[in-house]
Amino acid sequence: MYVIVILAMIAGFLALRLYSVLGKRTGHEQEPALRPAEERAKVTIVQPRPVPEMAGDSVRLADGLIAPGGEAGVRALIAADRGFDVPQFVDGAKAAYKMVLEAFWRGDRQELEWLCDADVLASFEEAIAAREAEGHVLDNRLVRIEKAQIIDASVTGRLAEVSLRFEADIAAVTRDKDGHVVAGSLTDAIGTNDIWTFTRDLRSTDPNWKLSETDEAA
C-alpha cells in the first residue's frame, strides 16, 4: 500500500512539473524565443541575377521599341544602370506623354512641375498664361498613341537622357470663355509627331524621369 501511495505521489509530482514546463496554450502567450543563430537553419539570400545584354535583332528591335540609331546609347545606359528596362521605360514614357499633355491642356501647373524640369515647365507656363490672357480653353483629347520608340540615349557623368519619338492622334478644340469653338474639331483627330527627351540623375534615390526637352519630329 505504501509503495502505491509513493508511486502515485511521484507521478503527480512529475505531472505537475510537466504542466509547469509546457503550460496550457490559451492564444495569449508570447511566441517561444528563437534558437541561437548557430542552431537555426541558414537563410539563403538570393542575389538578383545580372541583366543580360541585349542580344541580336530579336531583342534590340523587339516590338520596334528602339530605333537602330538608338541601340548603342541604350547599351551604354544599361551598362550604367543595370535596372533599366526598355519595355517598362517605354510604357512609363507613354503614360508621362499623356499626363503632360492633359496637364498642359488643363493648365495644371502643379502637375507639370512634378513631370517636367525647370526649362520645359517655364515654356509650358508661358503658353498657359498667354492662353488664359486670351480667355481660351483647350478641349483636347489624346485619341491614341500609335507609336513610341527610343531614338537616342546617352549617359554623361551621372545624368542619363533618353529621347523618344511619339506618333499620336489628337482631337483638338479651342474654345473661348463662353464655350464657343474658336478652332479645331473633336471629330477629326490630327496626327502629331513629337520627340521628347527625358532625363534622370542615376545616383538619385528618386526613380522618376523628368521631361527635359520637346520638339516636333521632322
Side-chain angles (χ1 to χ4, degrees):
M1 178 64 70
Y2 289 108
V3 174
I4 296 175
V5 171
I6 292 173
L7 290 177
M9 292 175 63
I10 293 174
F13 175 77
L14 292 176
L16 182 61
R17 292 289 297 169
L18 184 63
Y19 182 90
S20 66
V21 172
L22 298 180
K24 184 190 298 182
R25 297 292 296 180
T26 64
H28 298 285
E29 296 87 347
Q30 293 182 345
E31 291 296 324
L34 294 175
R35 290 174 294 170
E38 63 271 15
E39 295 180 13
R40 299 197 302 266
K42 294 183 178 180
V43 178
T44 302
I45 300 176
V46 180
Q47 298 292 341
R49 291 178 297 176
V51 178
E53 292 187 4
M54 293 186 299
D57 294 341
S58 62
V59 177
R60 290 200 307 268
L61 305 179
D63 299 324
L65 296 182
I66 307 172
E71 297 170 15
V74 171
R75 286 182 180 276
L77 177 52
I78 291 177
D81 180 7
R82 303 297 289 180
F84 183 81
D85 181 83
V86 172
Q88 183 178 7
F89 176 84
V90 173
D91 285 343
K94 289 164 68 175
Y97 182 78
K98 182 176 187 292
M99 292 171 67
V100 169
L101 287 179
E102 292 180 346
F104 173 68
W105 296 336
R106 294 193 309 269
D108 190 338
R109 294 172 174 83
Q110 185 174 2
E111 180 84 356
L112 290 171
E113 183 178 1
W114 176 66
L115 295 165
C116 309
D117 73 1
D119 291 338
V120 174
L121 176 63
S123 298
F124 281 146
E125 288 180 331
E126 183 179 352
I128 292 171
R131 188 174 75 216
E132 292 174 342
E134 295 179 354
H136 290 171
V137 176
L138 297 182
D139 186 12
N140 296 358
R141 180 169 55 91
L142 177 62
V143 178
R144 68 180 64 87
I145 297 176
E146 296 284 358
K147 187 176 183 179
Q149 184 181 53
I150 296 175
I151 61 172
D152 194 19
S154 64
V155 179
T156 305
R158 57 193 291 173
L159 187 67
E161 291 188 349
V162 182
S163 296
L164 299 95
R165 179 188 180 105
F166 292 96
E167 297 178 8
D169 294 329
I170 295 175
V173 170
T174 302
R175 301 181 186 274
D176 62 18
K177 61 181 180 180
D178 297 320
H180 300 136
V181 176
V182 175
S185 169
L186 282 176
T187 59
D188 297 324
I190 301 172
T192 61
N193 292 277
D194 299 317
I195 294 177
W196 284 20
T197 300
F198 296 88
T199 60
R200 177 177 176 266
D201 184 342
L202 294 180
R203 298 181 187 176
S204 173
T205 56
D206 184 357
N208 295 313
W209 294 70
K210 285 202 170 187
L211 178 62
S212 58
E213 186 177 351
T214 63
D215 199 2
E216 291 185 6

